Each structure stands twice: as structure tokens, then as C-alpha cells.
Amino acid sequence: MQRLTSLLPGIVAGVLALSPPALAQASRGHADGWNIGDPVTAGIDPGSLLRLDSAIAGNGFKNISSVLIARHGVLVWEKYYNGFADSSLHDTRSATKSITGMLIGLAVDRKFIPSEQTTVLSYFADRRPVQNPDPRKDQITVEDLLTMSSLMECDDDNSFSRGNEERMYLIEDYFKFFFDLPIKGFPAWAAKPAESPYGRSWSYCTAGVVVLGGVLERATGMKVDEFAREYLFGPLGISRVHWQMTPMGMPMTGGGLGLRARDFLKLAQLYLNNGTWNGRRIISERWIAKSVSPHASARDSVDYGYLWWLQRFGKEGHKAFAYYMAGNGGSKIAVFPDLDAVVVITGTMYGTIKGHQQSERIVSDFIVPSMKR
């Protein structure tokens, strides 16, 4: 007993050295290219993160499956909840759209697609509109779909919209669904494109992003998953991938891609690094800059790039700009260029805006304030 008592100070010190608990989890590591560090060295207040961890564990935030933070290129916080682990694949729903934008950028970089100004219907001679033919449809560009600002009457936020994604899921041919939509009208109370910020009238349209998958396959001669594996996931060392499939047999580019949380974090770090991962150029700096620049006004204080959301997070006096992927369930994969940090929050609170509200609270109330400038 006396010997055990004499050893206790050393045991306690060893336990404290592993705090916060996320570091013990992260330190196991994987051969996946991440360097592992700690919040203090990265200039992050661990107390704020421990309070967040306690709130999630105590069900103050519901249905959270993971929280990861990397700063200065080092993974410093990694926690999993509600039965999820570092090996789990997370369905972040529409966060997939931002990855689709990456794939389009890779195709443009490699000249499979001449540019984002290329017209979409030039790839779909077999899907010429049967219903609601209109010459303006021939002018819709890849960039129009990347920025959710084509003239098609397609709005997932409006249950009355003919292009609402729930209507698309009822039929087999998603491409035909999109091209047969009518051109949207602009009633007196709605701003026309020329009257809108950045000259674009924005509406959230999953069907348009599905069509981008068709553009990718027809331009490259490769299936979406094959192209992604060769030009994006393979170079990043991402091997565990699950695509949902459309009734047409194409990987779903509008949502539902499953990846590990660490791999979502890699994609964010790739953009923070202006297109490089561990010194290797993956995607052009030009495409990164265009993707995360504002091209349309989405909502109050929220702009939209090439399938990326642009917003400021944090409390008054300590706000930080981020561009981020987002998906139903509350998932956010965010890049904070001024903080040199990337954040992954995954969640499964599907079908309600509360999931997004709580992930915004996590970022604004706990993560951004924890980072020293």
C-alpha cells in the first residue's frame, strides 16, 4: 500500500498530461497525413473546448457525432459522440455539393471542361427540354449551377416550387426533371437578377448540382466516383468513401456522400492551403479563389460562392469570416482563413433547422472565441 501511495503523484501527473480527453483520442493517430498536436500549442483555450465537450456529452447539444479542429495545419481536437468513432462514415447530406464544386474545378483545371462559362446543355443533346422549351435554357452555364443562380424555377426552400428536390426524387430521370422545369418569374416584390447583389438571383437548387454530376461524367468520360478517386480522394489519401446512387446509376452529387470526419477536415485544409495537401498541388489556386469569393447573396448576412457558404461567426468583438460546407443534420465543415483553422462538426439532427442553429452556436460560442489571434 505504501508503495502504491508513493506512485500516485506520478500516475495523476500522467493522467493530467493526457488532458484534454480529445488529445488522448487524437494521439492514437492514423497513417493519413495528419500531424497531431494540442490546443495550447496551437493558441486555443482548451477550457472552452472542454466546456463544449461537457455540453455535448450532457446532451446540451443533441445528435452531434463529431467535432474536429485543426490549426496551423495540425489536428488538435478530435471528439466523437453518440456511438460514432474515428472510423465512422458521416452522411453530411448537402455538404457533398461543395465537394462536387471541387470536382468541377479539377475538371476545369485539366481542361476536360473548357471553363465555368461553358453552357450546360451543350453536354445534354439527348435531354433537350420537352416541356417548357425556352432559348434561355441554352445560355445556362456551369457557373450558374455552381452559384445556385440559374433562371430555372428550382427552389428547395419553397415547397410550392416545381423544382423542389422532393419532387425530383419521385421520378427516375433527374436530368430530364431539371431541363423540363419552367423559367422562373419575378413578381413585383422579388428582386430580379440585375437588381440583386452580384447580379444573380439565388435559390437553393439540388437538381442543378445533380446536373453538374452529369456534366462531369460527360465531359471526362469517367464516372463521378472514378474521377473523384483519381483526382481528389486518391491524392489526399482518402480511401473509405460511400456514394449514394441515383436511379440513373450515377453517384449522387447533390448530397449523401459518406466520409470519415478526418477526411472532411482534409478537404477543408486543402482549401485553406490554397489547393495543396502536404506540399502536393491538388487543385489550382485560381479555382480556390473563385470558389470562395461571393457570387450571390443567399440569405441575410450570408453570401454564396461556388457551392460554398460565406459567413462570419463568433460574438461581437471576436468574429471571424469562414467559408464552409453545410448539410442537413447540422453538419458544417468550415475554413477560417484569418485564424488559420479548419473545423468539422457533424450531426444527425435531420429534417429540422435546429441542427444548423446548434452547430452555428457551437462555432460562435465555443470554437471561434477559443482561438487567440
Side-chain angles (χ1 to χ4, degrees):
M1 177 65 75
Q2 184 176 3
R3 176 171 169 75
L4 177 61
T5 303
S6 67
L7 289 174
L8 280 176
I11 294 172
V12 171
V15 172
L16 291 177
L18 293 175
S19 298
L23 292 183
Q25 192 171 43
S27 65
R28 292 199 305 267
H30 295 276
D32 62 359
W34 277 113
N35 293 316
I36 308 299
D38 66 89
V40 175
T41 304
I44 298 175
D45 172 19
S48 182
L49 300 185
L50 289 169
R51 288 190 293 274
L52 170 62
D53 181 46
S54 177
I56 296 173
N59 213 28
F61 294 105
K62 301 181 185 301
N63 295 79
I64 299 296
S65 51
S66 73
V67 177
L68 285 75
I69 302 170
R71 195 172 196 200
H72 310 317
V74 177
L75 177 59
V76 298
W77 186 264
E78 182 178 27
K79 287 288 287 184
Y80 299 92
Y81 306 91
N82 295 307
F84 285 80
D86 56 0
S87 60
S88 301
L89 299 184
H90 300 262
D91 177 2
T92 58
R93 303 290 173 92
S94 285
T96 306
K97 291 180 171 70
S98 304
I99 298 171
T100 298
M102 296 182 194
L103 298 178
I104 292 293
L106 287 164
V108 171
D109 284 348
R110 286 158 177 75
K111 307 301 181 185
F112 289 112
I113 299 172
S115 82
E116 60 269 31
Q117 304 307 323
T118 302
T119 57
V120 173
L121 266 171
S122 63
Y123 293 101
F124 291 93
D126 59 334
R127 296 296 201 285
R128 297 291 308 174
V130 176
Q131 300 178 31
N132 305 300
D134 191 298
R136 287 173 290 182
K137 293 183 179 182
D138 288 295
Q139 304 306 312
I140 294 173
T141 66
V142 169
E143 185 176 57
D144 291 332
L145 301 189
L146 288 169
T147 57
M148 300 277 191
S149 58
S150 79
L151 286 177
M152 300 297 252
E153 199 289 285
C154 181
D155 187 352
D156 295 347
D157 295 331
N158 182 350
S159 61
F160 295 101
S161 172
R162 294 195 205 179
N164 187 288
E165 65 177 315
E166 298 302 329
R167 291 183 168 84
M168 177 179 71
Y169 298 139
L170 299 176
I171 68 170
E172 183 178 52
D173 191 334
Y174 293 179
F175 299 156
K176 178 176 171 57
F177 172 86
F178 179 79
F179 290 120
D180 278 348
L181 291 172
I183 295 292
K184 70 172 69 172
F186 295 92
W189 57 87
K192 298 177 177 61
E195 303 163 351
S196 303
Y198 312 107
R200 292 181 176 274
S201 179
W202 185 90
S203 60
Y204 194 79
C205 177
T206 294
V209 185
V210 174
V211 168
L212 284 176
V215 170
L216 186 70
E217 291 198 342
R218 290 165 182 238
T220 65
M222 301 172 68
K223 299 291 288 183
V224 168
D225 54 339
E226 295 171 352
F227 184 86
R229 183 168 57 249
E230 180 167 343
Y231 292 105
L232 183 62
F233 295 151
L236 290 173
I238 297 174
S239 58
R240 298 195 60 227
V241 179
H242 179 262
W243 290 93
Q244 293 185 7
M245 303 299 289
T246 70
M248 303 177 293
M250 185 187 83
M252 176 60 172
T253 51
L257 173 65
L259 297 175
R260 294 188 314 139
R262 277 191 174 199
D263 291 335
F264 279 115
L265 198 70
K266 279 187 183 181
L267 293 166
Q269 187 69 43
L270 174 68
Y271 266 55
L272 180 60
N273 292 348
N274 290 317
T276 65
W277 170 252
N278 285 342
R280 178 181 178 182
R281 170 67 57 188
I282 307 293
I283 190 168
S284 70
E285 191 168 353
R286 167 194 170 277
W287 187 261
I288 303 289
K290 283 198 169 189
S291 296
V292 302
S293 297
H295 292 276
S297 176
R299 296 171 182 140
D300 289 344
S301 302
V302 181
D303 286 335
Y304 206 71
Y306 285 177
L307 301 173
W308 287 85
W309 302 88
L310 316 176
Q311 185 178 347
R312 294 181 68 81
F313 292 93
K315 300 178 179 180
E316 288 303 325
H318 198 103
K319 288 195 173 186
F321 168 77
Y323 49 88
Y324 62 96
M325 318 177 204
N328 188 353
S331 294
K332 282 185 171 51
I333 297 96
V335 179
F336 291 89
D338 295 339
L339 299 175
D340 194 23
V342 291
V343 174
V344 166
I345 299 170
T346 59
T348 60
M349 193 179 286
Y350 299 122
T352 171
I353 195 172
K354 291 181 180 178
H356 289 298
Q357 291 172 338
Q358 72 171 5
S359 61
E360 290 199 12
R361 281 183 55 212
I362 289 171
V363 173
S364 290
D365 293 355
F366 292 90
I367 295 178
V368 169
S370 76
M371 296 190 186
K372 297 176 183 177
R373 304 283 180 145

